[in-house]
């Protein structure tokens, strides 16, 4: 059983949907690396609208502007684990935003162990 309670760090990475690393989406590469690093978990959310440093609007509302929507990857774990993981982010994120926040985890309990194939076992 995995438990994480109390002070932690939240790593938030914002990249473009079209960003790739060795022919794989950057967000997928980050999730795979986070799992391999034994981090508590990672969540990927696709944004509906946004713009970055070049102020180019990307929105799902208009087909002509719907390419390269923002993707946000969030990972929360103990500070030392997140800081150890940061070099893996530097390697694959060539454009985007990477931020750290101090957070307090009120409750996180992984109730199932998973085998190497990702199948849950009580």
């Amino acid at each position: 059983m995995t438990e994480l309670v109390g002070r932690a760090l939240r790593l938030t990475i914002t990249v473009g949907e079209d960003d790739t690393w060795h022919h794989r989406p950057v967000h997928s590469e980050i999730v795979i690396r986070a799992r391999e690093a034994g981090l508590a978990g990672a969540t990927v959310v696709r944004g509906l609208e946004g713009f970055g440093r070049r102020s180019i609007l990307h929105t799902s509302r208009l087909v002509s502007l719907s390419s390269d929507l923002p993707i946000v990857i969030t990972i929360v774990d103990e500070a030392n684990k997140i800081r150890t993981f940061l070099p893996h982010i530097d390697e694959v994120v060539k454009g985007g935003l990477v931020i750290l926040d101090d957070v307090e985890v009120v409750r996180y309990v992984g109730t199932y162990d998973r085998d190497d194939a990702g199948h849950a076992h009580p």
Side-chain angles (χ1 to χ4, degrees), residues 44 68 79 85-87 100:
V44 177
D68 204 26
F85 185 66
L86 287 176
L100 290 173

Side-chain angles (χ1 to χ4, degrees), residues 6-70:
R7 297 193 50 79
L9 278 181
R10 175 176 47 204
L11 172 60
T12 305
I13 305 142
T14 304
V15 295
E17 185 176 36
D18 294 343
D19 293 354
T20 60
W21 172 258
H22 294 277
H23 309 292
R24 176 186 285 157
V26 165
H27 64 274
S28 293
E29 182 67 23
I30 291 169
V31 169
I32 289 166
R33 289 177 181 219
R35 186 171 186 266
E36 289 172 350
L39 296 178
T43 301
V44 177
V45 178
R46 183 177 187 232
L48 296 175
E49 194 165 337
F51 68 92
R53 63 187 170 104
R54 287 179 264 158
S55 296
I56 297 171
L57 181 64
H58 302 278
T59 178
S60 62
R61 292 181 292 126
L62 302 170
V63 174
S64 63
L65 300 176
S66 65
S67 68
D68 204 26
L69 290 170

Side-chain angles (χ1 to χ4, degrees), residues 1-2 110-115 118-122:
M1 184 180 305
T2 303
T111 56
Y112 295 98
D113 291 327
R114 296 195 178 266
D115 61 22
H119 300 101
H121 299 283

Side-chain angles (χ1 to χ4, degrees), residues 6-11 76-79 83 99-105:
R7 297 193 50 79
L9 278 181
R10 175 176 47 204
L11 172 60
V76 177
D77 209 323
E78 298 169 359
R83 292 195 185 281
I99 60 173
L100 290 173
D101 298 302
D102 289 316
V103 295
E104 181 179 351
V105 176

